[in-house]
Amino acid sequence: MYKFPEGFFWGAATSGVQSEGSKNQVNKSIWNYWFEKEPKRFSGEIGPDVVCDTYNKFKEDVALMKEINFNSFRTSIQWARLIKDFETGEVCEDAVRFYNEYIDELLKNGVEPIINLYHFDMPSELQEKFGGFESKKVVNLFVLFAQKAFELFGDRVKYWTTFNEPIVPVEGGYLYDFHYPNKKDPKLATQVAYNIILAHAKTVNLYKNMKISGEIGVILNLTPSYSRSNSEEDLKAAYMADLFFNRSFLDPMLKGEFPKDLCEILKEHNLTPETTKEELKEIEKAKVDFLGVNYYVPRRVKAKEKKDEKFNNPEYYFDYYINPDGRFNPYRDNNEIYPVALYDIAKNVQENYGNIPWYLAEIGIAMDLNSEGDVKEDGLIDDTFRTDLMKEHFIQLHRAIEEGSNCFGVHQWTFIDCWSWLNSFKRRYGFYRLDLETGKRIKKKHGVWFAQLAKDNGFEK
Ligand code: FCB
């Protein structure tokens, strides 16, 4: 039996935009805005208006969490829902009611809420007026939003996170065009990345100053970079990928400092962001209590074959390559399946980041409606494919924990099939299927397996 440490968190993660729906939302996020502008970019032309309708259905949904034995759950508070006036911090009363009732319902049912403050959801007004996180003014407005959230819900929420995958809005919005504002501008990208790190640090420091009982952390997508071979060139390629995609946020957020090599590279390309001494002190001071890690796929890289003329993105330093011996998920663009990466992540956190308490904040296996099939005679959807793969991942995690990794939980992506940005509902990840026509939730077999896992705090080989 693979047993996990006592009190281990078992649950799932989602976010405000992806689950709530926009009913009674006072302000728009860039997702509402972008969908209105360019619906064709979203799979099936489905936007974030209704999604899981958690705004109306949270009570039934918490009951469904209980049914599969969650003891914890992550979602996010939407900035554009909670705050009515961004500059004064005036809150929307209906949003306060909604989040209060939602949080209370979770607690009443023994589900510990982990509340995240930013999941890709810049209010569109702040994006249009000030360029979102391009601007330091917006950094301060974010901290004001965080302060309101701490004041309103900090008596009951004991686990906060500042950002989910903070690098993704930088990649999507400023390098590769999969988030609004769809720019491709490496100079702005580094400024936005820095400003987000600053917003995180100021929020952590504020939380500590407010002396609320609870903990604060951040959730990073840590995708290990594996090199094609042990040649010097390939190893260098992996080093660079790791520097740009992992250490860029890990080092400042966990160690309070930026990797020297990264700073030099940015300088070489004239991409150094504007910083001040006070800000750097703020970043140095901000100590998180825990780390959340999202993991889906490994990154495989090799030495660059043809040099780019100028730096457009980190791929200036490496090429991607497909592992000839890899296993792939046919239901998700042939993404590589590599459970050992989870062990490697755990060891990296243990050995290089002070063995800080961490939890697996997202892991998931994408399938589509076809591969999951129809409801079977037992009333369930058969996603055994998912269970088999999750087991393999959990075995690797268990191995790391046995070796002293300080992991305190697992949240799977996701609870009920939710809306996933440009992919909308194309890929399904949930313990429950969402029937888009009726809004009905239908349990998948994996949910039954997970309920047993959570109950036993472990699983049989
Ligand atoms: C992660 C995001 C999450 C969801 C999953 C599929 O990168 O954090 O919002 O879209 O991917």
Side-chain angles (χ1 to χ4, degrees):
M1 178 123 189
Y2 295 98
K3 266 275 176 197
F4 286 80
E6 214 179 300
F8 208 68
F9 276 179
W10 296 107
T14 189
S15 79
V17 175
Q18 294 176 277
S19 61
E20 285 172 19
S22 335
K23 183 97 185 285
N24 291 344
Q25 196 174 302
V26 272
N27 283 295
K28 284 180 186 166
S29 77
I30 50 173
W31 296 97
N32 306 108
Y33 177 85
W34 188 21
F35 178 70
E36 278 170 24
K37 238 173 102 167
E38 279 191 281
K40 289 209 159 46
R41 288 211 55 183
F42 293 75
S43 174
E45 293 189 37
I46 305 171
D49 292 354
V50 181
V51 296
C52 305
D53 194 21
T54 303
Y55 176 82
N56 288 309
K57 298 196 171 143
F58 69 92
K59 281 206 175 146
E60 295 156 59
D61 287 351
V62 174
L64 293 179
M65 291 179 198
K66 240 192 129 172
E67 207 177 297
I68 54 172
N69 295 331
F70 284 9
N71 60 11
S72 50
F73 174 70
R74 169 181 45 125
T75 187
S76 66
I77 290 180
Q78 288 194 69
W79 190 354
R81 184 188 283 286
L82 185 66
I83 304 294
K84 193 166 166 190
D85 183 323
F86 299 112
E87 306 240 3
T88 64
E90 187 196 339
V91 295
C92 163
E93 286 311 325
D94 181 67
V96 174
R97 176 205 55 79
F98 165 62
Y99 288 121
N100 266 330
E101 288 181 9
Y102 193 2
I103 289 165
D104 290 345
E105 190 68 18
L106 288 164
L107 289 169
K108 205 170 83 192
N109 285 281
V111 180
E112 188 76 51
I114 299 184
I115 298 295
N116 179 43
L117 293 169
Y118 193 88
H119 201 122
F120 313 164
D121 54 339
M122 177 61 65
S124 67
E125 184 187 321
L126 299 182
Q127 187 69 49
E128 294 313 289
K129 270 197 193 156
F130 309 113
F133 280 125
E134 293 164 35
S135 135
K136 290 194 184 165
K137 179 182 171 95
V138 173
V139 169
N140 293 330
L141 296 182
F142 175 78
V143 182
L144 178 61
F145 153 59
Q147 184 191 329
K148 294 291 163 187
F150 297 150
E151 284 167 3
L152 288 162
F153 313 113
D155 56 334
R156 283 151 295 148
V157 174
K158 295 299 163 206
Y159 297 88
W160 292 94
T161 55
T162 54
F163 284 81
N164 172 77
E165 303 187 347
I167 199 170
V168 170
V170 179
E171 296 172 334
Y174 296 90
L175 291 173
Y176 310 109
D177 180 27
F178 61 90
H179 279 199
Y180 196 77
N182 314 98
K183 296 183 184 172
K184 286 188 177 175
D185 182 336
K187 177 103 185 160
L188 264 184
T190 52
Q191 190 66 55
V192 170
Y194 171 78
N195 288 354
I196 289 178
I197 292 164
L198 179 63
H200 156 85
K202 285 188 164 186
T203 305
V204 169
N205 292 334
L206 167 78
Y207 183 75
K208 302 272 163 168
N209 284 339
M210 287 171 76
K211 306 233 177 313
I212 308 171
S213 94
E215 297 187 3
I216 190 159
V218 63
I219 297 169
L220 302 178
N221 47 323
L222 299 181
T223 297
S225 310
Y226 298 101
S227 65
R228 169 181 55 183
S229 76
N230 282 333
S231 76
E232 204 183 307
E233 295 77 18
D234 282 348
L235 288 175
K236 178 92 191 284
Y239 176 83
M240 291 305 229
D242 190 50
L243 197 57
F244 275 99
F245 292 114
N246 296 326
R247 293 186 52 210
S248 53
F249 282 80
L250 249 179
D251 285 24
M253 287 178 162
L254 267 75
K255 295 181 170 167
E257 62 189 30
F258 291 89
K260 281 206 179 60
D261 288 3
L262 183 60
C263 295
E264 270 161 32
I265 291 167
L266 294 179
K267 202 164 153 201
E268 222 175 274
H269 295 288
N270 199 17
L271 297 172
T272 307
E274 275 173 35
T275 66
T276 69
K277 270 207 186 101
E278 291 70 39
E279 291 168 358
L280 293 172
K281 264 200 209 121
E282 191 94 49
I283 291 168
E284 199 187 317
K285 206 175 95 191
K287 291 268 169 298
V288 288
D289 300 304
F290 68 93
L291 173 69
V293 174
N294 296 351
Y295 169 71
Y296 292 87
V297 288
R299 179 177 265 117
R300 302 268 176 194
V301 299
K302 61 180 181 189
K304 190 92 187 159
E305 267 160 27
K306 204 172 135 258
K307 214 167 176 271
D308 295 345
E309 262 170 44
K310 67 178 196 15
F311 184 103
N312 296 314
N313 50 46
E315 285 80 347
Y316 182 85
Y317 288 104
F318 59 86
D319 280 339
Y320 286 109
Y321 108 108
I322 296 169
N323 179 5
D325 306 318
R327 287 155 70 197
F328 302 91
N329 179 352
Y331 313 128
R332 196 199 155 160
D333 306 334
N334 271 331
N335 267 347
E336 188 177 349
I337 295 161
Y338 189 60
V340 172
L342 202 49
Y343 172 83
D344 291 340
I345 292 174
K347 296 309 277 185
N348 182 31
V349 173
Q350 182 176 358
E351 283 160 13
N352 302 317
Y353 295 90
N355 205 14
I356 185 171
W358 71 283
Y359 84 110
L360 186 56
E362 278 181 34
I363 181 154
I365 303 294
M367 295 176 76
D368 55 20
L369 286 184
N370 258 341
S371 53
E372 284 187 347
D374 294 333
V375 183
K376 297 285 169 337
E377 273 163 22
D378 55 4
L380 300 170
I381 285 155
D382 188 355
D383 59 344
T384 312
F385 173 79
R386 178 173 282 126
T387 307
D388 291 343
L389 290 177
M390 288 315 300
K391 270 190 199 165
E392 285 189 46
H393 284 86
F394 293 164
I395 289 171
Q396 292 301 326
L397 179 63
H398 186 266
R399 177 158 75 102
I401 294 173
E402 294 274 282
E403 291 177 19
S405 168
N406 209 352
C407 176
F408 64 85
V410 169
H411 279 181
Q412 205 178 299
W413 188 271
T414 187
F415 167 41
I416 296 166
D417 287 345
C418 67
W419 185 82
S420 213
W421 322 112
L422 288 183
N423 286 317
S424 179
F425 284 99
K426 189 165 96 190
R427 293 174 186 141
R428 304 299 181 115
Y429 291 86
F431 288 108
Y432 292 88
R433 172 176 295 174
L434 178 70
D435 181 322
L436 289 185
E437 255 151 47
T438 60
K440 233 179 110 187
R441 285 82 163 116
I442 307 157
K443 206 194 279 176
K444 302 181 194 173
K445 233 176 158 174
H446 183 61
V448 177
W449 179 78
F450 191 87
Q452 195 63 42
L453 162 75
K455 185 161 168 252
D456 298 342
N457 199 27
F459 63 100
E460 299 282 346
K461 284 185 195 192

